[in-house]
DNA sequence: GTCTATAGATTGATAGAC
DNA sequence: GTCTATCAATCTATAGAC
């Protein structure tokens, strides 16, 4: 039941539960049940629940950076790499349909709570934004790079939200195809 | 402090608090403080907290229908009416920047909770979807009406989510302009 | 229709034994 | 490093006086 140090198991369990149930809705009892420790044992590893949240956000930042680095290797061209991002809507569909986008939903929840870690959670968005922007720069869209990055980000956010609400895989598939078509049609400049 | 019957005051206060804090994060004590009644008095008007949620959703459905009917009068052409929808991103920006889109964020929260009223909350999305679809039909896009409606819906959802996360009014304004340009460029068929 | 009082459960967090 | 026991606060909900 779980691997790594107890601390790591707590972070892993919290990571998934915060995604599936939301941060506030996840109690120490919920996490303790997964990790199979007592509630009191938490406080040897973390001072407060907010500290667990910070550790979860850090884990997500690290994981995202590794994923972006992988895509950097995986895709031969900037367009191929951007499609790696677009495709996560399909790759993670089984989770998205029930729990939405893990990045967007946490940012939204922390915004409503006006939580101190809101800015830290937003950094996951920034990682994608900067990475996508770099791809568009390499495509020769130095001027519009950030605008195009935000366009891809918001497109996928909107599709995730509506795909989740209407539980409609066909719609998501269709939008992913349309995003890829839009990307293919995007002119490739010369710096 | 507030108007209408006590029941109506409860619904109004809950409506706003559910939006600003989320449904689960809002307690009877929070609502009672706004309406200025005791916690015990709630149960004369509602059996459970879920019943308050249902009343709030109904109120939002009613309000949305009235707003759509107003836009029907306000806009001379289908394109002008669709722009009424697009513009709410700017009209409600002061709220969206802090609390996100009231429709999308409730649907997302209820999805995570797997709440019984999830389908009912989604109907607000459906109201916009059908109304937008009708506008596109009247524009001569009978074949693509629903797809175009979903495109406008998801576009605005994405912009609301990212505008909220990055707290960036200029970005939202720019996207609204771009949505209007896209709409203006859309060919007007002849049924 | 509104109140006080309270039940019963759960929450985040602490203290101290082992 | 993990446990049990416990605290104080809060939660939804109920009972019953006025």
């Amino acid at each position: 039941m779980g691997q790594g140090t107890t601390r790591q198991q707590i972070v892993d369990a919290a990571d998934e539960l915060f995604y599936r149930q939301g941060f506030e809705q996840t109690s120490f009892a919920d996490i303790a049940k997964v990790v199979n420790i007592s509630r009191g044992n938490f406080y040897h590893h973390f001072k407060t629940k907010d500290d667990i949240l910070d550790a979860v956000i850090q884990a997500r930042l690290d994981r995202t950076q590794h994923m972006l680095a992988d895509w950097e290797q995986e895709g031969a061209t900037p367009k191929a790499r951007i499609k790696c991002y677009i495709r996560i809507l399909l790759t993670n569909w089984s989770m998205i349909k029930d729990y939405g986008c893990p990045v967007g939903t946490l940012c939204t929840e922390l915004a409503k709570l006006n939580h101190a870690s809101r800015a830290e959670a937003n950094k996951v968005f920034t990682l994608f934004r900067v990475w996508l922007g770099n791809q568009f720069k390499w495509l020769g869209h130095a001027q519009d790079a950030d605008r195009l990055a935000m366009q891809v980000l918001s497109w996928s956010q909107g599709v995730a939200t509506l795909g989740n609400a209407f539980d409609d895989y066909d719609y998501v598939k269709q939008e992913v195809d349309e995003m890829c078509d839009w990307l293919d049609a995007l002119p490739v400049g010369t710096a």
Side-chain angles (χ1 to χ4, degrees), chain A:
Chain A
M1 202 79 76
Q3 297 195 334
T5 64
T6 300
R7 189 196 148 93
Q8 191 57 47
Q9 289 182 54
I10 291 173
V11 173
D12 289 345
D15 193 349
E16 183 166 350
L17 287 169
F18 288 175
Y19 174 37
R20 295 166 73 130
Q21 309 184 342
F23 167 67
E24 278 288 349
Q25 193 56 19
T26 299
S27 67
F28 282 23
D30 293 329
I31 305 172
K33 208 182 298 173
V34 173
V35 183
N36 219 23
I37 59 172
S38 69
R39 293 213 315 282
N41 192 2
F42 272 98
Y43 297 87
H44 175 73
H45 303 280
F46 297 95
K47 275 210 287 277
T48 67
K49 190 183 173 188
D50 286 346
D51 285 347
I52 301 183
L53 174 61
D54 287 336
V56 166
I57 293 173
Q58 273 309 313
R60 292 189 185 184
L61 284 168
D62 291 347
R63 206 186 319 139
T64 302
Q65 267 178 322
H66 280 113
M67 186 171 65
L68 294 175
D70 286 347
W71 290 348
E72 207 75 39
Q73 303 296 322
E74 202 177 315
T77 65
K79 285 191 178 183
R81 289 176 207 139
I82 295 170
K83 285 183 187 176
C84 290
Y85 172 80
I86 295 172
R87 266 195 299 269
I88 51 175
L89 279 168
L90 299 176
T91 311
N92 297 340
W93 172 243
S94 67
M95 299 296 278
I96 291 172
K97 88 185 180 78
D98 287 329
Y99 315 112
C101 167
V103 187
T105 55
L106 181 64
C107 288
T108 301
E109 182 182 359
L110 297 187
K112 277 188 203 290
L113 298 173
N114 200 18
H115 195 284
S117 299
R118 188 189 171 188
E120 205 60 22
N122 289 344
K123 284 184 184 171
V124 185
F125 265 142
T126 302
L127 282 182
F128 285 110
R129 179 180 184 169
V130 169
W131 184 87
L132 286 168
N134 284 334
Q135 307 309 316
F136 284 113
K137 270 180 205 150
W138 292 328
L139 271 180
H141 290 269
Q143 209 82 12
D144 288 350
D146 185 57
R147 188 184 60 80
L148 290 165
M150 286 292 276
Q151 196 166 331
V152 171
L153 262 187
S154 79
W155 200 339
S156 63
Q157 277 298 303
V159 170
T161 302
L162 289 187
N164 171 269
F166 291 115
D167 193 2
D168 189 341
Y169 174 80
D170 291 339
Y171 157 74
V172 174
K173 176 78 174 71
Q174 171 189 295
E175 286 294 311
V176 165
D177 289 342
E178 196 155 337
M179 287 172 78
C180 289
D181 289 347
W182 167 84
L183 186 63
D184 286 331
L186 200 72
V188 178
T190 51

